[in-house]
Amino acid sequence: MESTTLRTERLELRPVRDEDVDRILEYRNLPEVTRWLIRTEVEPVSLRAAWRRAAEDPNDHSAAVTLDGVVIGTVSLDLVDGMGQPGMPLRTEAELGYIFDPAYGGQGYATEAVTAMVGHAFDRLGVRRITAGCFADNLASVSILEKVGMRREQHGVGDSWHAELGWVDGYTYALLAKTWRREIAP
């Protein structure tokens, strides 16, 4: 995240450090977390390598979310090109994701962190549109995306493979910068 640190009323969003990976794995591989992820379990070595690659990628603005110095989650934000004809501005869209320790659930931390990252993307990175996806049955994630002001753009019927449930529905959400500024921004 180009060494950018974001602060909210209760949280700090900062670049992920090598020493954070073990803490992230503590909650990342819990069954109640992996249930809602496309990629279920990850190995420590591969996760550490992925975070190092992210730190070197100028289009990756992912962050560790800390509360009183403890990593309680991560928010990912990857800048991508939109669809269009030649000459289109590059890196005007972003893909958003997040994973939080369920021990900190129900207290608004994920919504607070995601709101901060969305604001950063629109106001400081010049992103025009952000998208995010989730399993339709992941009501906690649906709630976060809707609280942040994202609009459900797609309901994919049976489009997502779930290891326990088989083919399930998935949602795609999106938010435009102009909508954020006009209707949602805190």
Side-chain angles (χ1 to χ4, degrees):
M1 195 165 65
E2 299 175 359
S3 299
T4 299
T5 297
L6 307 175
R7 288 182 176 75
T8 69
E9 184 178 326
R10 303 178 294 172
L11 307 171
E12 180 179 85
L13 284 72
R14 60 158 174 78
V16 172
R17 303 173 186 148
D18 269 351
E19 59 267 23
D20 296 333
V21 175
D22 290 334
R23 168 66 186 124
I24 292 168
L25 282 165
E26 286 176 22
Y27 62 85
R28 168 66 179 75
N29 285 335
L30 291 172
E32 61 265 38
V33 175
T34 61
R35 175 177 179 84
W36 300 117
L37 301 176
I38 298 294
R39 192 163 167 226
T40 53
E41 281 193 37
V42 294
E43 297 293 323
V45 172
S46 64
L47 184 65
R48 195 174 309 281
W51 278 111
R52 285 181 181 148
R53 282 191 306 276
E56 296 170 5
D57 183 346
N59 295 310
D60 192 319
H61 295 267
S62 300
V65 179
T66 65
L67 173 68
D68 299 326
V70 176
V71 175
I72 65 167
T74 57
V75 178
S76 62
L77 185 82
D78 295 310
L79 301 185
V80 297
D81 297 337
M83 298 188 317
Q85 296 179 342
M88 176 192 68
L90 301 177
R91 306 297 187 257
T92 59
E93 293 198 17
E95 296 170 348
L96 174 74
Y98 42 86
I99 302 172
F100 279 80
D101 183 339
Y104 293 88
Q107 300 175 65
Y109 296 129
T111 301
E112 187 174 327
V114 170
T115 299
M117 186 61 82
V118 167
H120 177 71
F122 288 144
D123 299 334
R124 305 216 10 241
L125 299 177
V127 169
R128 184 189 69 78
R129 183 173 189 268
I130 297 174
T131 61
C134 65
F135 288 119
D137 289 341
N138 186 347
L139 301 181
S141 195
V142 166
S143 177
I144 291 165
L145 295 173
E146 291 179 356
K147 284 179 187 174
V148 171
M150 298 187 89
R151 169 187 70 255
R152 188 180 311 159
E153 289 192 338
Q154 187 234 359
H155 178 164
V157 178
D159 72 344
S160 301
W161 176 254
H162 192 286
E164 297 170 24
L165 305 174
W167 290 105
V168 298
D169 293 3
Y171 291 152
T172 302
Y173 281 82
L175 179 62
L176 292 171
K178 66 182 181 181
T179 304
W180 168 263
R181 289 185 187 106
R182 185 178 62 238
E183 299 174 10
I184 296 140

